[in-house]
Amino acid sequence: FLMKYGITKKQLKLLNFIEEYTNKNIISPSYDEMMVGLNLNSKSTISAKLKELEIRGWIQKMNGKNRSIRVID
């Protein structure tokens, strides 16, 4: 089901975390907050997953800006 929509379970988990965090806090989470929230040990893992989500059109990031991730509806 998920791959039909171009997203893996782990990507969906990150996408949901970003959306919930942003709805609650108005700004998007930092890499550190995403690591803690998803129980991951590496910023590079977060970075790779964000890049995949951006390529597939699920999120939009503003280059050079912190906390600038926007989930695309």
Side-chain angles (χ1 to χ4, degrees):
F1 166 78
L2 296 175
M3 286 307 295
K4 178 179 174 184
Y5 295 100
I7 192 166
T8 66
K9 289 180 183 179
K10 290 180 181 181
Q11 290 168 347
L12 182 60
K13 190 174 180 181
L14 176 57
L15 185 67
N16 287 337
F17 179 83
I18 294 167
E19 190 167 37
E20 289 171 13
Y21 185 97
T22 303
N23 287 339
K24 185 177 179 182
N25 299 289
I26 303 173
I27 59 172
S28 60
S30 68
Y31 279 42
D32 288 333
E33 290 164 334
M34 287 183 263
M35 284 174 43
V36 170
L38 298 172
N39 198 26
L40 297 172
N41 298 320
S42 168
K43 287 183 184 178
S44 63
T45 301
I46 295 290
S47 182
K49 296 206 177 311
L50 289 173
K51 186 171 189 134
E52 292 166 1
L53 288 171
E54 189 171 26
I55 289 169
R56 293 187 170 141
W58 290 98
I59 63 168
Q60 182 178 34
K61 289 174 44 183
M62 296 175 77
N63 290 335
K65 300 267 186 186
N66 292 331
R67 297 180 178 258
S68 63
I69 302 166
R70 184 172 70 91
V71 175
I72 299 181
D73 296 328

Coordinates of all heavy atoms in Angstrom, one line a residue:
F1 N 0.8 -1.2 0.0 CA 0.0 0.0 0.0 C 0.9 1.3 0.0 O 0.7 2.1 -0.8 CB -0.9 0.0 1.2 CG -1.6 1.3 1.5 CD1 -2.7 1.7 0.7 CD2 -1.1 2.1 2.5 CE1 -3.3 2.9 1.0 CE2 -1.7 3.4 2.8 CZ -2.8 3.8 2.0
L2 N 1.8 1.3 0.9 CA 2.6 2.6 1.0 C 3.5 2.8 -0.2 O 3.6 3.9 -0.7 CB 3.5 2.5 2.3 CG 2.7 2.5 3.6 CD1 3.7 2.3 4.8 CD2 1.9 3.7 3.8
M3 N 4.1 1.7 -0.7 CA 5.0 1.9 -1.9 C 4.1 2.4 -3.1 O 4.7 3.0 -4.0 CB 5.7 0.6 -2.2 CG 6.9 0.4 -1.2 SD 8.0 1.8 -1.0 CE 8.7 1.9 -2.6
K4 N 2.9 2.0 -3.1 CA 2.0 2.5 -4.2 C 2.0 4.0 -4.2 O 1.9 4.6 -5.3 CB 0.6 1.9 -4.0 CG -0.4 2.4 -5.0 CD -1.8 1.7 -4.7 CE -2.8 2.3 -5.6 NZ -4.2 1.8 -5.3
Y5 N 2.1 4.6 -3.1 CA 2.1 6.1 -3.0 C 3.5 6.6 -2.9 O 3.7 7.8 -2.6 CB 1.3 6.5 -1.8 CG -0.2 6.2 -1.9 CD1 -0.7 5.1 -1.3 CD2 -1.0 6.9 -2.8 CE1 -2.0 4.7 -1.5 CE2 -2.3 6.6 -3.0 CZ -2.8 5.5 -2.3 OH -4.1 5.1 -2.5
G6 N 4.5 5.8 -3.1 CA 5.9 6.3 -3.2 C 6.5 6.6 -1.8 O 7.3 7.5 -1.7
I7 N 6.1 5.9 -0.8 CA 6.6 6.2 0.5 C 6.8 4.9 1.3 O 5.9 4.0 1.2 CB 5.7 7.2 1.3 CG1 6.4 7.8 2.5 CG2 4.4 6.6 1.6 CD1 5.7 9.0 3.1
T8 N 7.9 4.8 2.0 CA 8.1 3.6 2.9 C 7.6 3.8 4.3 O 7.2 4.9 4.6 CB 9.6 3.3 3.0 OG1 10.3 4.3 3.7 CG2 10.3 3.1 1.6
K9 N 7.5 2.8 5.1 CA 7.0 2.9 6.4 C 7.9 3.9 7.2 O 7.3 4.7 8.0 CB 7.0 1.5 7.1 CG 5.9 0.6 6.6 CD 6.0 -0.7 7.4 CE 5.0 -1.7 6.8 NZ 5.0 -3.0 7.5
K10 N 9.2 3.8 7.1 CA 10.1 4.7 7.8 C 9.9 6.1 7.4 O 9.9 7.1 8.2 CB 11.5 4.2 7.7 CG 11.8 2.9 8.4 CD 13.2 2.5 8.3 CE 13.4 1.2 9.0 NZ 14.8 0.7 8.9
Q11 N 9.7 6.3 6.1 CA 9.5 7.7 5.6 C 8.2 8.2 6.1 O 8.1 9.4 6.5 CB 9.5 7.7 4.1 CG 10.9 7.5 3.5 CD 10.8 7.2 2.0 OE1 9.8 7.0 1.4 NE2 12.0 7.2 1.4
L12 N 7.2 7.4 6.1 CA 5.9 7.8 6.6 C 5.9 8.2 8.1 O 5.3 9.2 8.5 CB 4.8 6.7 6.4 CG 3.4 7.0 6.8 CD1 2.9 8.3 6.1 CD2 2.5 5.8 6.6
K13 N 6.7 7.4 8.9 CA 6.9 7.7 10.3 C 7.5 9.1 10.5 O 7.1 9.9 11.3 CB 7.7 6.6 10.9 CG 7.7 6.6 12.4 CD 8.5 5.4 13.0 CE 8.5 5.5 14.5 NZ 9.3 4.3 15.0
L14 N 8.5 9.4 9.7 CA 9.2 10.7 9.8 C 8.2 11.8 9.3 O 8.1 12.8 9.9 CB 10.5 10.7 8.9 CG 11.2 12.0 8.8 CD1 11.6 12.5 10.2 CD2 12.4 11.9 7.9
L15 N 7.5 11.6 8.2 CA 6.6 12.5 7.7 C 5.5 12.9 8.8 O 5.2 14.0 9.0 CB 5.9 12.0 6.4 CG 5.0 13.0 5.7 CD1 5.8 14.1 5.1 CD2 4.3 12.2 4.6
N16 N 5.0 11.8 9.4 CA 3.9 12.0 10.4 C 4.5 12.8 11.6 O 3.9 13.6 12.2 CB 3.4 10.7 10.9 CG 2.4 10.1 9.8 OD1 1.9 10.8 9.0 ND2 2.3 8.8 9.9
F17 N 5.8 12.4 12.0 CA 6.4 13.1 13.1 C 6.5 14.6 12.8 O 6.2 15.5 13.6 CB 7.8 12.5 13.4 CG 8.5 13.2 14.5 CD1 8.2 12.9 15.8 CD2 9.4 14.2 14.3 CE1 8.9 13.6 16.9 CE2 10.1 14.9 15.3 CZ 9.8 14.6 16.6
I18 N 7.0 14.9 11.6 CA 7.2 16.3 11.2 C 5.9 17.1 11.2 O 5.8 18.2 11.8 CB 7.8 16.4 9.8 CG1 9.3 15.9 9.8 CG2 7.8 17.9 9.3 CD1 9.9 15.7 8.5
E19 N 4.8 16.4 10.7 CA 3.5 17.1 10.6 C 2.9 17.3 12.0 O 2.5 18.4 12.3 CB 2.6 16.2 9.8 CG 1.3 16.9 9.4 CD 0.5 16.2 8.4 OE1 0.5 14.9 8.3 OE2 -0.1 16.9 7.5
E20 N 3.0 16.3 12.9 CA 2.5 16.5 14.2 C 3.3 17.5 15.0 O 2.7 18.3 15.7 CB 2.5 15.1 14.9 CG 1.5 14.1 14.4 CD 1.6 12.7 14.9 OE1 2.4 12.5 15.9 OE2 1.0 11.8 14.4
Y21 N 4.6 17.5 14.9 CA 5.4 18.4 15.6 C 5.1 19.9 15.1 O 5.0 20.8 16.0 CB 6.9 18.1 15.4 CG 7.9 19.0 16.2 CD1 8.4 18.5 17.4 CD2 8.2 20.2 15.7 CE1 9.2 19.3 18.1 CE2 9.1 21.1 16.5 CZ 9.6 20.6 17.7 OH 10.4 21.4 18.4
T22 N 5.0 20.0 13.8 CA 4.8 21.4 13.3 C 3.4 21.9 13.7 O 3.3 23.1 14.0 CB 4.9 21.3 11.7 OG1 6.2 20.8 11.4 CG2 4.8 22.7 11.1
N23 N 2.4 21.0 13.7 CA 1.1 21.4 14.1 C 1.1 21.9 15.5 O 0.4 22.8 15.9 CB 0.1 20.3 13.9 CG -0.3 20.1 12.4 OD1 -0.1 21.0 11.6 ND2 -0.7 18.9 12.1
K24 N 1.8 21.2 16.4 CA 1.9 21.5 17.8 C 2.8 22.7 18.1 O 2.4 23.5 19.0 CB 2.4 20.3 18.6 CG 2.4 20.4 20.1 CD 2.9 19.2 20.7 CE 2.9 19.3 22.2 NZ 3.4 18.1 22.9
N25 N 3.9 22.9 17.4 CA 4.9 23.9 17.8 C 5.0 25.0 16.8 O 5.9 25.9 16.9 CB 6.2 23.2 17.9 CG 6.2 22.2 19.0 OD1 6.2 22.5 20.2 ND2 6.2 20.9 18.7
I26 N 4.3 25.0 15.7 CA 4.3 26.0 14.7 C 5.5 26.0 13.8 O 5.4 26.2 12.6 CB 4.1 27.5 15.2 CG1 2.8 27.5 16.0 CG2 4.1 28.5 14.1 CD1 2.6 28.8 16.7
I27 N 6.7 25.6 14.3 CA 7.9 25.4 13.5 C 8.2 24.0 13.3 O 7.7 23.1 14.0 CB 9.1 26.1 14.1 CG1 9.4 25.6 15.5 CG2 8.9 27.6 14.1 CD1 10.6 26.1 16.1
S28 N 9.0 23.6 12.3 CA 9.3 22.2 12.0 C 10.4 21.8 13.0 O 11.1 22.6 13.6 CB 9.7 22.0 10.6 OG 10.9 22.8 10.3
P29 N 10.5 20.5 13.3 CA 11.5 20.0 14.2 C 12.9 20.1 13.7 O 13.2 20.1 12.5 CB 11.1 18.6 14.4 CG 10.4 18.2 13.2 CD 9.7 19.4 12.7
S30 N 13.9 20.2 14.6 CA 15.3 20.2 14.3 C 15.7 18.7 14.0 O 15.0 17.8 14.3 CB 16.1 20.7 15.4 OG 16.1 19.9 16.5
Y31 N 16.9 18.6 13.4 CA 17.4 17.2 13.2 C 17.5 16.5 14.5 O 17.1 15.3 14.6 CB 18.7 17.2 12.5 CG 18.6 17.4 11.0 CD1 17.7 18.3 10.4 CD2 19.4 16.7 10.1 CE1 17.6 18.5 9.0 CE2 19.3 16.9 8.7 CZ 18.4 17.8 8.2 OH 18.4 17.9 6.9
D32 N 18.0 17.1 15.5 CA 18.1 16.5 16.9 C 16.8 16.0 17.4 O 16.6 14.9 17.9 CB 18.8 17.4 17.9 CG 20.3 17.6 17.6 OD1 20.9 16.7 17.0 OD2 20.8 18.7 17.9
E33 N 15.8 16.9 17.2 CA 14.4 16.5 17.7 C 13.8 15.3 16.9 O 13.2 14.5 17.5 CB 13.5 17.7 17.7 CG 13.9 18.8 18.7 CD 13.3 20.1 18.4 OE1 12.9 20.5 17.3 OE2 13.1 20.9 19.4
M34 N 14.1 15.3 15.6 CA 13.7 14.2 14.8 C 14.4 12.9 15.3 O 13.8 11.8 15.3 CB 13.9 14.5 13.3 CG 12.9 15.5 12.8 SD 13.1 15.7 11.0 CE 14.1 17.2 11.0
M35 N 15.7 13.0 15.5 CA 16.4 11.8 16.0 C 15.9 11.3 17.3 O 15.6 10.1 17.4 CB 17.9 12.2 16.2 CG 18.7 12.3 14.9 SD 20.4 12.9 15.2 CE 21.0 12.0 16.6
V36 N 15.6 12.1 18.2 CA 15.0 11.7 19.5 C 13.6 11.2 19.3 O 13.3 10.1 19.8 CB 15.0 12.9 20.5 CG1 14.2 12.5 21.8 CG2 16.5 13.3 20.9
G37 N 12.8 11.9 18.6 CA 11.4 11.5 18.4 C 11.3 10.2 17.6 O 10.3 9.4 17.9
L38 N 12.2 9.8 16.8 CA 12.2 8.6 16.0 C 13.1 7.5 16.5 O 13.3 6.5 15.9 CB 12.4 8.8 14.5 CG 11.4 9.8 13.9 CD1 11.8 10.2 12.5 CD2 10.0 9.1 13.9
N39 N 13.8 7.8 17.6 CA 14.8 6.9 18.2 C 15.9 6.5 17.3 O 16.2 5.3 17.1 CB 14.1 5.7 18.8 CG 14.9 5.0 19.8 OD1 15.8 5.5 20.5 ND2 14.6 3.7 20.0
L40 N 16.5 7.5 16.6 CA 17.6 7.2 15.7 C 18.8 7.8 16.2 O 18.8 8.6 17.1 CB 17.3 7.9 14.3 CG 16.0 7.3 13.6 CD1 15.7 8.1 12.3 CD2 16.3 5.8 13.2
N41 N 20.0 7.3 15.7 CA 21.3 7.7 16.2 C 22.1 8.6 15.3 O 23.2 9.0 15.7 CB 22.1 6.4 16.5 CG 21.5 5.6 17.6 OD1 20.9 6.0 18.5 ND2 21.5 4.3 17.4
S42 N 21.6 8.9 14.2 CA 22.4 9.6 13.2 C 21.6 10.7 12.4 O 20.5 10.5 11.9 CB 22.9 8.6 12.2 OG 23.5 9.2 11.1
K43 N 22.2 11.9 12.4 CA 21.7 13.0 11.6 C 21.7 12.6 10.1 O 20.8 13.1 9.3 CB 22.4 14.3 11.8 CG 22.1 14.9 13.2 CD 22.8 16.2 13.4 CE 22.6 16.7 14.8 NZ 23.3 18.0 15.0
S44 N 22.7 11.8 9.7 CA 22.8 11.5 8.3 C 21.6 10.6 7.8 O 21.1 10.7 6.7 CB 24.1 10.8 7.9 OG 24.2 9.6 8.6
T45 N 21.1 9.8 8.8 CA 19.9 9.0 8.5 C 18.7 9.9 8.3 O 17.9 9.7 7.3 CB 19.6 8.0 9.6 OG1 20.7 7.1 9.8 CG2 18.3 7.2 9.3
I46 N 18.5 10.9 9.1 CA 17.4 11.8 9.0 C 17.6 12.6 7.7 O 16.6 12.8 6.9 CB 17.4 12.8 10.2 CG1 17.1 12.1 11.5 CG2 16.4 14.0 9.9 CD1 15.7 11.6 11.7
S47 N 18.8 13.1 7.4 CA 19.0 13.8 6.2 C 18.7 13.0 4.9 O 18.0 13.5 4.0 CB 20.5 14.2 6.2 OG 20.8 15.0 5.0
A48 N 19.1 11.8 4.9 CA 18.8 10.9 3.8 C 17.3 10.7 3.6 O 16.8 10.8 2.5 CB 19.5 9.6 3.9
K49 N 16.6 10.5 4.7 CA 15.1 10.3 4.6 C 14.4 11.6 4.2 O 13.4 11.5 3.4 CB 14.6 9.8 5.9 CG 15.1 8.4 6.3 CD 14.3 7.6 7.1 CE 14.8 6.2 7.4 NZ 15.2 5.5 6.2
L50 N 14.9 12.7 4.7 CA 14.3 14.0 4.3 C 14.5 14.2 2.8 O 13.6 14.7 2.1 CB 14.9 15.1 5.1 CG 14.5 15.2 6.5 CD1 15.3 16.3 7.2 CD2 13.0 15.4 6.7
K51 N 15.7 13.9 2.3 CA 16.0 14.1 0.9 C 15.0 13.2 0.0 O 14.5 13.6 -1.0 CB 17.4 13.7 0.6 CG 17.8 14.0 -0.8 CD 19.3 13.9 -1.0 CE 19.7 14.4 -2.4 NZ 20.8 15.3 -2.4
E52 N 14.8 11.9 0.5 CA 13.9 11.0 -0.3 C 12.5 11.6 -0.3 O 11.8 11.6 -1.3 CB 13.9 9.7 0.4 CG 15.2 8.9 0.2 CD 15.4 7.7 1.2 OE1 14.4 7.4 1.9 OE2 16.4 7.1 1.1
L53 N 12.1 12.1 0.9 CA 10.7 12.7 0.9 C 10.6 13.9 0.0 O 9.5 14.1 -0.6 CB 10.4 13.1 2.4 CG 10.1 11.9 3.3 CD1 10.0 12.4 4.8 CD2 8.8 11.1 2.9
E54 N 11.6 14.7 0.0 CA 11.6 15.9 -0.8 C 11.6 15.5 -2.3 O 10.8 16.1 -3.1 CB 12.8 16.8 -0.5 CG 12.7 18.2 -1.2 CD 13.8 19.1 -0.7 OE1 14.9 18.6 -0.3 OE2 13.6 20.3 -0.8
I55 N 12.4 14.6 -2.7 CA 12.4 14.1 -4.1 C 11.1 13.6 -4.6 O 10.6 13.8 -5.7 CB 13.5 13.1 -4.3 CG1 14.9 13.7 -4.2 CG2 13.4 12.3 -5.6 CD1 16.1 12.7 -4.1
R56 N 10.4 12.9 -3.7 CA 9.1 12.3 -4.0 C 8.0 13.3 -3.8 O 6.8 13.0 -4.1 CB 8.9 11.1 -3.1 CG 9.9 10.0 -3.5 CD 9.5 8.7 -2.7 NE 10.4 7.6 -3.3 CZ 10.9 6.7 -2.6 NH1 10.7 6.7 -1.3 NH2 11.7 5.8 -3.2
G57 N 8.3 14.5 -3.4 CA 7.2 15.5 -3.4 C 6.4 15.6 -2.1 O 5.3 16.2 -2.1
W58 N 6.8 14.9 -1.0 CA 6.0 14.9 0.2 C 6.3 16.0 1.1 O 5.5 16.4 1.9 CB 6.3 13.6 1.0 CG 5.7 12.4 0.3 CD1 6.4 11.5 -0.5 CD2 4.4 11.9 0.3 NE1 5.6 10.5 -1.0 CE2 4.3 10.7 -0.5 CE3 3.2 12.4 0.9 CZ2 3.1 10.1 -0.7 CZ3 2.1 11.7 0.8 CH2 2.0 10.5 0.0
I59 N 7.6 16.6 1.0 CA 7.9 17.8 1.8 C 8.6 18.8 0.9 O 9.1 18.5 -0.2 CB 8.9 17.4 3.0 CG1 10.2 16.8 2.5 CG2 8.2 16.5 4.0 CD1 11.3 16.8 3.6
Q60 N 8.8 20.0 1.5 CA 9.5 21.0 0.8 C 10.5 21.6 1.9 O 10.0 21.9 3.0 CB 8.6 22.1 0.2 CG 9.3 23.2 -0.5 CD 8.3 24.2 -1.1 OE1 7.3 24.4 -0.5 NE2 8.6 24.7 -2.2
K61 N 11.7 21.8 1.5 CA 12.7 22.4 2.4 C 13.2 23.7 1.8 O 13.4 23.8 0.6 CB 13.9 21.5 2.6 CG 13.6 20.3 3.5 CD 14.7 19.3 3.6 CE 16.0 19.9 3.8 NZ 17.1 19.0 3.9
M62 N 13.5 24.7 2.6 CA 14.1 25.9 2.1 C 15.6 25.8 2.4 O 16.0 25.7 3.6 CB 13.5 27.1 2.8 CG 12.1 27.3 2.5 SD 11.3 28.7 3.5 CE 12.0 30.1 2.6
N63 N 16.4 25.7 1.3 CA 17.8 25.6 1.5 C 18.5 26.7 2.3 O 18.1 27.8 2.2 CB 18.5 25.5 0.1 CG 18.2 24.2 -0.6 OD1 17.9 23.2 0.0 ND2 18.3 24.3 -1.9
G64 N 19.3 26.3 3.2 CA 20.0 27.2 4.1 C 19.2 27.7 5.3 O 19.7 28.6 6.0
K65 N 18.0 27.3 5.4 CA 17.2 27.7 6.5 C 16.9 26.6 7.5 O 16.5 25.5 7.1 CB 15.8 28.2 6.0 CG 15.9 29.4 5.0 CD 15.8 30.6 5.7 CE 15.7 31.8 4.7 NZ 15.7 33.0 5.3
N66 N 17.1 26.9 8.8 CA 16.8 25.9 9.8 C 15.3 25.8 10.0 O 14.6 26.8 9.9 CB 17.5 26.2 11.1 CG 19.0 26.1 11.0 OD1 19.5 25.3 10.2 ND2 19.8 26.9 11.8
R67 N 14.8 24.6 10.4 CA 13.4 24.4 10.7 C 12.5 24.9 9.6 O 11.5 25.6 9.9 CB 13.1 25.1 12.1 CG 13.9 24.5 13.2 CD 13.5 25.2 14.5 NE 14.2 24.6 15.6 CZ 13.7 23.8 16.5 NH1 12.4 23.4 16.4 NH2 14.4 23.3 17.5
S68 N 12.8 24.6 8.4 CA 12.0 25.1 7.3 C 11.4 24.0 6.5 O 11.2 24.2 5.3 CB 12.9 26.0 6.4 OG 13.9 25.2 5.8
I69 N 11.1 22.9 7.1 CA 10.4 21.8 6.4 C 8.9 22.0 6.4 O 8.3 22.3 7.4 CB 10.8 20.5 7.1 CG1 12.3 20.3 7.1 CG2 10.1 19.3 6.4 CD1 12.8 19.2 8.1
R70 N 8.4 21.8 5.2 CA 6.9 22.0 5.1 C 6.4 20.7 4.5 O 6.8 20.3 3.4 CB 6.6 23.2 4.2 CG 5.1 23.5 4.1 CD 4.9 24.8 3.4 NE 5.2 24.7 2.0 CZ 4.3 24.4 1.0 NH1 3.1 24.1 1.4 NH2 4.7 24.4 -0.2
V71 N 5.4 20.1 5.1 CA 4.7 19.0 4.6 C 3.7 19.5 3.5 O 3.0 20.4 3.7 CB 3.9 18.2 5.6 CG1 3.1 17.0 5.0 CG2 4.9 17.7 6.7
I72 N 3.8 18.8 2.3 CA 3.0 19.2 1.2 C 1.7 18.4 1.2 O 1.7 17.2 1.3 CB 3.7 19.1 -0.1 CG1 5.0 19.9 -0.1 CG2 2.8 19.3 -1.3 CD1 5.8 19.9 -1.3
D73 N 0.6 19.1 1.2 CA -0.8 18.5 1.2 C -1.1 17.8 -0.1 O -0.8 18.3 -1.1 CB -1.8 19.5 1.6 CG -1.6 20.0 3.0 OD1 -1.1 19.3 3.8 OD2 -2.0 21.2 3.3

